[in-house]
Amino acid sequence: MSDRRLARRRPIARRTFEALAIGALADAVLGCGAAPPPPPPKLPPLETKNLTDLCTSAGLEWIVLVRPREIAAIAWLIPEIALFTTEANLDAFAKDTGIDLRQVPEAVLARFDASLGEADLQIVRHDGDGAKIEELFAKRLTAEPRATSERPDLARVGGIIGTTPHAMARIGADVVAFQDGGSIEKGPLRIATLSAEGKIKKTPRALEIEPLESLRARFGNAPAIGLAVGPFQDEWKRAAKGLLEAATGVGIALRATAREHLWSYISRGMGKE
């Protein structure tokens, strides 16, 4: 090979080497050639197996456990349900909220005393679209809307409807919770989301206190159970004709019988169970 040809090839080789060196340096400086960052740690699943575990016992006055879908499936009860609400009303409610009450597997309703702002809490297991339920709720807020997301499957929305504070939480794929009244940041709904994350350890849950735990056990798998915590004030005492004078709690359960009747059972808690 002639010296002239070697002279022509050397500049080409040198330029190629320089380009590769510059590219490698740029990769090192800019991190283009670095390994991708590790994925974020996997979040532990939210604790939503038992809805009552999301409801605190602190300040609890009463709690209702109900399985609407099971009740709505009882054919002979349909005319009785129609005395309280119509199919059109249920359809309108589903359109406005994203929740069809006839398809709700289970729900928990609770009322709290002044220590939690006399707030009402509803926890609902649904088979709909949680994001849609959240969106529809946010549209009903009339003032001070604010949203918080602790993790992709846990979000809270709060604000004012009329003159009352309201809030909702999307907890996992199939649970939502709503709060009416009380503090949005420190009320029972916030406690529910912290409980779902496993961050509430010391305060007993709603059915971990007596006599509610024992009363709940007496009613078995009844589709509608109501429990109230004593001591009871004058209006409760008058309603029960003095039977609640010394009661520490009271419960009632409803169950449909084969003879197409509603069977009810009332039980009192009297001191230590």
Side-chain angles (χ1 to χ4, degrees):
M1 184 179 294
S2 69
D3 293 341
R4 185 176 297 178
R5 288 184 182 180
L6 285 174
R8 283 200 298 266
R9 288 189 179 186
R10 281 173 185 163
I12 295 174
R14 186 167 54 252
R15 287 196 296 270
T16 302
F17 174 79
E18 289 172 351
L20 291 173
I22 292 171
L25 180 60
D27 284 345
V29 172
L30 299 177
C32 298
K42 187 176 181 181
L43 294 170
L46 295 171
E47 299 174 9
T48 61
K49 182 178 180 181
N50 297 316
L51 296 187
T52 54
D53 287 349
L54 303 179
C55 185
T56 182
S57 64
L60 181 66
E61 290 190 343
W62 54 257
I63 184 170
V64 173
L65 323 177
V66 63
R67 300 197 295 276
R69 184 164 64 191
E70 182 177 331
I71 295 171
I74 302 173
W76 61 267
L77 268 182
I78 293 176
E80 305 297 327
I81 296 173
L83 297 175
F84 299 94
T85 187
T86 65
E87 289 292 311
N89 286 340
L90 292 170
D91 289 340
F93 183 87
K95 182 179 179 181
D96 291 341
T97 66
I99 300 174
D100 187 340
L101 294 176
R102 294 158 293 193
Q103 299 302 320
V104 169
E106 59 176 327
V108 171
L109 318 176
R111 164 72 58 82
F112 296 86
D113 63 20
S115 66
L116 284 179
E118 298 182 343
D120 292 334
L121 178 69
Q122 304 95 37
I123 307 173
V124 180
R125 193 179 303 280
H126 63 89
D127 60 356
D129 182 342
K132 184 65 175 178
I133 295 171
E134 180 183 345
E135 177 187 343
L136 291 170
F137 175 84
K139 288 181 178 179
R140 297 199 299 275
L141 297 174
T142 56
E144 302 178 21
R146 51 190 181 274
T148 304
S149 181
E150 279 83 11
R151 44 188 276 177
D153 55 356
L154 182 61
R156 291 179 289 125
V157 180
I160 304 295
I161 299 178
T163 59
T164 306
H166 287 257
M168 73 85 62
R170 174 172 48 84
I171 309 173
D174 65 347
V175 175
V176 290
F178 301 89
Q179 178 183 314
D180 306 339
S183 168
I184 293 177
E185 296 302 326
K186 299 180 181 179
L189 183 133
R190 180 60 178 137
I191 296 173
T193 60
L194 290 171
S195 296
E197 291 184 275
K199 295 180 178 179
I200 301 290
K201 300 296 184 183
K202 294 183 179 180
T203 304
R205 294 158 181 174
L207 299 187
E208 292 178 343
I209 60 171
E210 291 295 354
L212 298 193
E213 184 175 16
S214 297
L215 288 170
R216 169 66 182 86
R218 293 175 192 174
F219 298 137
N221 66 341
I225 297 172
L227 305 167
V229 183
F232 298 100
Q233 302 301 317
D234 291 341
E235 59 270 21
W236 280 79
K237 294 177 183 178
R238 287 195 297 270
K241 297 182 179 180
L243 291 176
L244 301 182
E245 185 77 30
T248 56
V250 65
I252 181 170
L254 297 177
R255 192 191 305 271
T257 70
R259 295 185 178 183
E260 298 189 358
H261 292 293
L262 277 178
W263 171 86
S264 63
Y265 176 51
I266 300 176
S267 182
R268 292 180 296 166
M270 303 295 292
K272 256 190 171 179
E273 294 286 336

